[in-house]
PDB file of all heavy atoms in Angstrom:
ATOM      1  N   THR A1422     -25.735   0.214  10.369  1.00  0.00           N
ATOM      2  CA  THR A1422     -24.835   0.454   9.142  1.00  0.00           C
ATOM      3  C   THR A1422     -23.522   0.969   9.576  1.00  0.00           C
ATOM      4  O   THR A1422     -23.499   2.120  10.214  1.00  0.00           O
ATOM      5  CB  THR A1422     -25.554   1.398   8.140  1.00  0.00           C
ATOM      6  OG1 THR A1422     -26.795   0.808   7.854  1.00  0.00           O
ATOM      7  CG2 THR A1422     -24.698   1.546   6.961  1.00  0.00           C
ATOM      8  N   LEU A1423     -22.428   0.351   9.307  1.00  0.00           N
ATOM      9  CA  LEU A1423     -21.053   0.774   9.647  1.00  0.00           C
ATOM     10  C   LEU A1423     -20.551   1.148   8.166  1.00  0.00           C
ATOM     11  O   LEU A1423     -20.448   0.309   7.319  1.00  0.00           O
ATOM     12  CB  LEU A1423     -20.265  -0.262  10.301  1.00  0.00           C
ATOM     13  CG  LEU A1423     -20.510  -0.481  11.792  1.00  0.00           C
ATOM     14  CD1 LEU A1423     -21.816  -0.976  12.013  1.00  0.00           C
ATOM     15  CD2 LEU A1423     -19.358  -1.397  12.300  1.00  0.00           C
ATOM     16  N   THR A1424     -20.024   2.471   8.063  1.00  0.00           N
ATOM     17  CA  THR A1424     -19.497   2.922   6.827  1.00  0.00           C
ATOM     18  C   THR A1424     -18.018   3.287   6.961  1.00  0.00           C
ATOM     19  O   THR A1424     -17.780   4.269   7.849  1.00  0.00           O
ATOM     20  CB  THR A1424     -20.340   4.261   6.336  1.00  0.00           C
ATOM     21  OG1 THR A1424     -21.628   3.814   6.389  1.00  0.00           O
ATOM     22  CG2 THR A1424     -19.835   4.571   4.998  1.00  0.00           C
ATOM     23  N   LEU A1425     -17.179   2.661   6.223  1.00  0.00           N
ATOM     24  CA  LEU A1425     -15.740   3.065   6.259  1.00  0.00           C
ATOM     25  C   LEU A1425     -15.798   4.434   5.641  1.00  0.00           C
ATOM     26  O   LEU A1425     -16.189   4.742   4.473  1.00  0.00           O
ATOM     27  CB  LEU A1425     -14.885   2.094   5.314  1.00  0.00           C
ATOM     28  CG  LEU A1425     -15.016   0.667   5.851  1.00  0.00           C
ATOM     29  CD1 LEU A1425     -14.108  -0.139   5.011  1.00  0.00           C
ATOM     30  CD2 LEU A1425     -14.624   0.526   7.373  1.00  0.00           C
ATOM     31  N   ASN A1426     -14.985   5.410   6.278  1.00  0.00           N
ATOM     32  CA  ASN A1426     -15.076   6.874   5.891  1.00  0.00           C
ATOM     33  C   ASN A1426     -13.775   7.573   5.702  1.00  0.00           C
ATOM     34  O   ASN A1426     -13.367   8.484   6.264  1.00  0.00           O
ATOM     35  CB  ASN A1426     -15.967   7.545   7.028  1.00  0.00           C
ATOM     36  CG  ASN A1426     -16.266   9.045   6.728  1.00  0.00           C
ATOM     37  OD1 ASN A1426     -16.570   9.274   5.514  1.00  0.00           O
ATOM     38  ND2 ASN A1426     -16.135   9.885   7.750  1.00  0.00           N
ATOM     39  N   ARG A1427     -12.979   7.025   4.716  1.00  0.00           N
ATOM     40  CA  ARG A1427     -11.804   7.640   4.358  1.00  0.00           C
ATOM     41  C   ARG A1427     -11.854   7.713   2.805  1.00  0.00           C
ATOM     42  O   ARG A1427     -10.924   7.112   2.019  1.00  0.00           O
ATOM     43  CB  ARG A1427     -10.509   6.898   4.622  1.00  0.00           C
ATOM     44  CG  ARG A1427     -10.251   6.742   6.111  1.00  0.00           C
ATOM     45  CD  ARG A1427      -8.951   6.113   6.396  1.00  0.00           C
ATOM     46  NE  ARG A1427      -7.766   7.028   6.363  1.00  0.00           N
ATOM     47  CZ  ARG A1427      -6.541   6.729   6.030  1.00  0.00           C
ATOM     48  NH1 ARG A1427      -6.260   5.457   5.775  1.00  0.00           N
ATOM     49  NH2 ARG A1427      -5.583   7.633   6.060  1.00  0.00           N
ATOM     50  N   PRO A1428     -12.840   8.282   2.185  1.00  0.00           N
ATOM     51  CA  PRO A1428     -13.151   8.291   0.789  1.00  0.00           C
ATOM     52  C   PRO A1428     -11.961   8.874  -0.073  1.00  0.00           C
ATOM     53  O   PRO A1428     -11.671   8.375  -1.162  1.00  0.00           O
ATOM     54  CB  PRO A1428     -14.457   9.055   0.566  1.00  0.00           C
ATOM     55  CG  PRO A1428     -14.488   9.893   1.732  1.00  0.00           C
ATOM     56  CD  PRO A1428     -13.892   9.087   2.853  1.00  0.00           C
ATOM     57  N   GLU A1429     -11.236   9.854   0.495  1.00  0.00           N
ATOM     58  CA  GLU A1429     -10.195  10.371  -0.262  1.00  0.00           C
ATOM     59  C   GLU A1429      -8.991   9.498  -0.314  1.00  0.00           C
ATOM     60  O   GLU A1429      -8.113   9.792  -1.210  1.00  0.00           O
ATOM     61  CB  GLU A1429      -9.769  11.719   0.550  1.00  0.00           C
ATOM     62  CG  GLU A1429      -8.987  11.553   1.792  1.00  0.00           C
ATOM     63  CD  GLU A1429      -9.807  11.125   3.010  1.00  0.00           C
ATOM     64  OE1 GLU A1429     -11.093  11.049   2.815  1.00  0.00           O
ATOM     65  OE2 GLU A1429      -9.337  10.859   4.081  1.00  0.00           O
ATOM     66  N   ARG A1430      -8.927   8.445   0.453  1.00  0.00           N
ATOM     67  CA  ARG A1430      -7.896   7.437   0.457  1.00  0.00           C
ATOM     68  C   ARG A1430      -8.480   6.085  -0.018  1.00  0.00           C
ATOM     69  O   ARG A1430      -7.829   4.979   0.308  1.00  0.00           O
ATOM     70  CB  ARG A1430      -7.317   7.359   1.752  1.00  0.00           C
ATOM     71  CG  ARG A1430      -6.438   8.524   2.263  1.00  0.00           C
ATOM     72  CD  ARG A1430      -5.112   8.751   1.538  1.00  0.00           C
ATOM     73  NE  ARG A1430      -4.392   9.775   2.223  1.00  0.00           N
ATOM     74  CZ  ARG A1430      -3.310   9.575   2.942  1.00  0.00           C
ATOM     75  NH1 ARG A1430      -3.138   8.317   3.306  1.00  0.00           N
ATOM     76  NH2 ARG A1430      -2.584  10.504   3.539  1.00  0.00           N
ATOM     77  N   MET A1431      -9.655   6.091  -0.657  1.00  0.00           N
ATOM     78  CA  MET A1431     -10.288   4.907  -1.080  1.00  0.00           C
ATOM     79  C   MET A1431     -10.515   3.824   0.041  1.00  0.00           C
ATOM     80  O   MET A1431     -10.497   2.660  -0.041  1.00  0.00           O
ATOM     81  CB  MET A1431      -9.491   4.184  -2.201  1.00  0.00           C
ATOM     82  CG  MET A1431      -9.507   5.013  -3.435  1.00  0.00           C
ATOM     83  SD  MET A1431      -8.549   4.246  -4.814  1.00  0.00           S
ATOM     84  CE  MET A1431      -9.695   2.973  -5.360  1.00  0.00           C
ATOM     85  N   ASN A1432     -10.780   4.560   1.202  1.00  0.00           N
ATOM     86  CA  ASN A1432     -11.067   3.738   2.558  1.00  0.00           C
ATOM     87  C   ASN A1432      -9.887   2.713   2.866  1.00  0.00           C
ATOM     88  O   ASN A1432     -10.093   1.701   3.420  1.00  0.00           O
ATOM     89  CB  ASN A1432     -12.321   3.030   2.430  1.00  0.00           C
ATOM     90  CG  ASN A1432     -13.540   4.057   2.315  1.00  0.00           C
ATOM     91  OD1 ASN A1432     -13.484   5.041   2.926  1.00  0.00           O
ATOM     92  ND2 ASN A1432     -14.471   3.763   1.518  1.00  0.00           N
ATOM     93  N   THR A1433      -8.612   3.089   2.480  1.00  0.00           N
ATOM     94  CA  THR A1433      -7.523   2.191   2.857  1.00  0.00           C
ATOM     95  C   THR A1433      -7.359   2.392   4.426  1.00  0.00           C
ATOM     96  O   THR A1433      -7.787   3.222   5.051  1.00  0.00           O
ATOM     97  CB  THR A1433      -6.190   2.788   2.309  1.00  0.00           C
ATOM     98  OG1 THR A1433      -6.185   4.173   2.480  1.00  0.00           O
ATOM     99  CG2 THR A1433      -6.160   2.483   0.704  1.00  0.00           C
ATOM    100  N   ILE A1434      -6.914   1.266   5.014  1.00  0.00           N
ATOM    101  CA  ILE A1434      -6.931   1.063   6.452  1.00  0.00           C
ATOM    102  C   ILE A1434      -5.905   1.905   7.106  1.00  0.00           C
ATOM    103  O   ILE A1434      -4.766   2.159   6.611  1.00  0.00           O
ATOM    104  CB  ILE A1434      -6.904  -0.378   6.795  1.00  0.00           C
ATOM    105  CG1 ILE A1434      -5.440  -0.905   6.335  1.00  0.00           C
ATOM    106  CG2 ILE A1434      -8.057  -1.250   6.272  1.00  0.00           C
ATOM    107  CD1 ILE A1434      -5.218  -2.335   6.865  1.00  0.00           C
ATOM    108  N   SER A1435      -6.253   2.443   8.416  1.00  0.00           N
ATOM    109  CA  SER A1435      -5.248   3.008   9.285  1.00  0.00           C
ATOM    110  C   SER A1435      -5.549   2.369  10.643  1.00  0.00           C
ATOM    111  O   SER A1435      -6.521   1.737  10.948  1.00  0.00           O
ATOM    112  CB  SER A1435      -5.636   4.543   9.369  1.00  0.00           C
ATOM    113  OG  SER A1435      -6.877   4.796   9.992  1.00  0.00           O
ATOM    114  N   ARG A1436      -4.598   2.617  11.523  1.00  0.00           N
ATOM    115  CA  ARG A1436      -4.696   2.003  12.944  1.00  0.00           C
ATOM    116  C   ARG A1436      -5.999   2.649  13.588  1.00  0.00           C
ATOM    117  O   ARG A1436      -6.817   1.709  14.267  1.00  0.00           O
ATOM    118  CB  ARG A1436      -3.561   2.300  13.801  1.00  0.00           C
ATOM    119  CG  ARG A1436      -2.259   1.523  13.327  1.00  0.00           C
ATOM    120  CD  ARG A1436      -1.232   1.686  14.441  1.00  0.00           C
ATOM    121  NE  ARG A1436      -0.033   0.860  14.060  1.00  0.00           N
ATOM    122  CZ  ARG A1436       0.823   1.240  13.316  1.00  0.00           C
ATOM    123  NH1 ARG A1436       0.936   2.471  12.780  1.00  0.00           N
ATOM    124  NH2 ARG A1436       1.913   0.479  12.961  1.00  0.00           N
ATOM    125  N   PRO A1437      -6.402   3.885  13.477  1.00  0.00           N
ATOM    126  CA  PRO A1437      -7.540   4.337  14.094  1.00  0.00           C
ATOM    127  C   PRO A1437      -8.902   3.787  13.475  1.00  0.00           C
ATOM    128  O   PRO A1437      -9.825   3.389  14.159  1.00  0.00           O
ATOM    129  CB  PRO A1437      -7.562   5.868  13.933  1.00  0.00           C
ATOM    130  CG  PRO A1437      -6.131   6.145  13.759  1.00  0.00           C
ATOM    131  CD  PRO A1437      -5.543   5.081  13.106  1.00  0.00           C
ATOM    132  N   MET A1438      -8.855   3.480  12.139  1.00  0.00           N
ATOM    133  CA  MET A1438     -10.016   2.916  11.433  1.00  0.00           C
ATOM    134  C   MET A1438     -10.153   1.501  12.051  1.00  0.00           C
ATOM    135  O   MET A1438     -11.347   1.003  12.301  1.00  0.00           O
ATOM    136  CB  MET A1438      -9.770   2.849   9.966  1.00  0.00           C
ATOM    137  CG  MET A1438     -10.773   2.023   9.290  1.00  0.00           C
ATOM    138  SD  MET A1438     -10.498   1.717   7.549  1.00  0.00           S
ATOM    139  CE  MET A1438     -11.082   3.366   6.834  1.00  0.00           C
ATOM    140  N   LEU A1439      -9.114   0.706  12.212  1.00  0.00           N
ATOM    141  CA  LEU A1439      -9.124  -0.689  12.535  1.00  0.00           C
ATOM    142  C   LEU A1439      -9.701  -0.810  13.975  1.00  0.00           C
ATOM    143  O   LEU A1439     -10.639  -1.640  14.370  1.00  0.00           O
ATOM    144  CB  LEU A1439      -7.766  -1.383  12.518  1.00  0.00           C
ATOM    145  CG  LEU A1439      -7.222  -1.665  11.107  1.00  0.00           C
ATOM    146  CD1 LEU A1439      -5.933  -2.465  11.179  1.00  0.00           C
ATOM    147  CD2 LEU A1439      -8.239  -2.350  10.302  1.00  0.00           C
ATOM    148  N   ALA A1440      -9.195   0.100  14.902  1.00  0.00           N
ATOM    149  CA  ALA A1440      -9.661   0.205  16.280  1.00  0.00           C
ATOM    150  C   ALA A1440     -11.160   0.476  16.372  1.00  0.00           C
ATOM    151  O   ALA A1440     -12.016  -0.143  17.131  1.00  0.00           O
ATOM    152  CB  ALA A1440      -8.762   1.084  17.097  1.00  0.00           C
ATOM    153  N   ARG A1441     -11.496   1.492  15.656  1.00  0.00           N
ATOM    154  CA  ARG A1441     -12.964   1.894  15.664  1.00  0.00           C
ATOM    155  C   ARG A1441     -13.884   0.852  14.996  1.00  0.00           C
ATOM    156  O   ARG A1441     -14.964   0.612  15.645  1.00  0.00           O
ATOM    157  CB  ARG A1441     -13.031   3.324  14.975  1.00  0.00           C
ATOM    158  CG  ARG A1441     -14.477   3.833  15.017  1.00  0.00           C
ATOM    159  CD  ARG A1441     -14.559   5.302  14.713  1.00  0.00           C
ATOM    160  NE  ARG A1441     -15.979   5.768  14.512  1.00  0.00           N
ATOM    161  CZ  ARG A1441     -16.729   6.047  15.550  1.00  0.00           C
ATOM    162  NH1 ARG A1441     -16.321   5.940  16.764  1.00  0.00           N
ATOM    163  NH2 ARG A1441     -17.992   6.417  15.282  1.00  0.00           N
ATOM    164  N   LEU A1442     -13.394   0.263  13.976  1.00  0.00           N
ATOM    165  CA  LEU A1442     -14.315  -0.708  13.307  1.00  0.00           C
ATOM    166  C   LEU A1442     -14.482  -1.852  14.252  1.00  0.00           C
ATOM    167  O   LEU A1442     -15.683  -2.295  14.446  1.00  0.00           O
ATOM    168  CB  LEU A1442     -13.642  -1.288  12.054  1.00  0.00           C
ATOM    169  CG  LEU A1442     -14.342  -2.310  11.346  1.00  0.00           C
ATOM    170  CD1 LEU A1442     -15.817  -1.919  10.880  1.00  0.00           C
ATOM    171  CD2 LEU A1442     -13.598  -2.701  10.024  1.00  0.00           C
ATOM    172  N   ALA A1443     -13.492  -2.438  14.992  1.00  0.00           N
ATOM    173  CA  ALA A1443     -13.642  -3.459  15.879  1.00  0.00           C
ATOM    174  C   ALA A1443     -14.615  -3.057  16.979  1.00  0.00           C
ATOM    175  O   ALA A1443     -15.571  -3.811  17.399  1.00  0.00           O
ATOM    176  CB  ALA A1443     -12.315  -3.952  16.451  1.00  0.00           C
ATOM    177  N   ALA A1444     -14.385  -1.856  17.580  1.00  0.00           N
ATOM    178  CA  ALA A1444     -15.259  -1.362  18.675  1.00  0.00           C
ATOM    179  C   ALA A1444     -16.670  -1.217  18.320  1.00  0.00           C
ATOM    180  O   ALA A1444     -17.541  -1.587  18.965  1.00  0.00           O
ATOM    181  CB  ALA A1444     -14.760  -0.078  19.205  1.00  0.00           C
ATOM    182  N   LEU A1445     -16.954  -0.682  16.933  1.00  0.00           N
ATOM    183  CA  LEU A1445     -18.370  -0.520  16.663  1.00  0.00           C
ATOM    184  C   LEU A1445     -19.058  -1.887  16.271  1.00  0.00           C
ATOM    185  O   LEU A1445     -20.221  -2.044  16.425  1.00  0.00           O
ATOM    186  CB  LEU A1445     -18.351   0.347  15.273  1.00  0.00           C
ATOM    187  CG  LEU A1445     -18.081   1.808  15.701  1.00  0.00           C
ATOM    188  CD1 LEU A1445     -18.128   2.652  14.381  1.00  0.00           C
ATOM    189  CD2 LEU A1445     -18.983   2.391  16.737  1.00  0.00           C
ATOM    190  N   LEU A1446     -18.223  -2.843  15.698  1.00  0.00           N
ATOM    191  CA  LEU A1446     -18.786  -4.227  15.587  1.00  0.00           C
ATOM    192  C   LEU A1446     -19.255  -4.896  16.872  1.00  0.00           C
ATOM    193  O   LEU A1446     -20.352  -5.430  16.921  1.00  0.00           O
ATOM    194  CB  LEU A1446     -17.771  -5.187  14.884  1.00  0.00           C
ATOM    195  CG  LEU A1446     -17.521  -4.762  13.276  1.00  0.00           C
ATOM    196  CD1 LEU A1446     -16.285  -5.536  12.881  1.00  0.00           C
ATOM    197  CD2 LEU A1446     -18.711  -5.141  12.547  1.00  0.00           C
TER     198      LEU A1446
END
């Protein structure tokens, strides 16, 4: 289970989020 974890920003994307999401996939 991969969970986007920026709830205070409605999980809007950032560069660190994109890099980590790709790596975890």
Side-chain angles (χ1 to χ4, degrees):
T1422 302
L1423 281 66
T1424 306
L1425 305 182
N1426 187 36
R1427 298 184 85 205
E1429 74 285 355
R1430 296 287 189 96
M1431 297 182 69
N1432 296 321
T1433 49
I1434 60 171
S1435 67
R1436 287 192 180 87
M1438 174 188 278
L1439 293 184
R1441 181 163 170 81
L1442 177 58
L1445 290 177
L1446 287 170

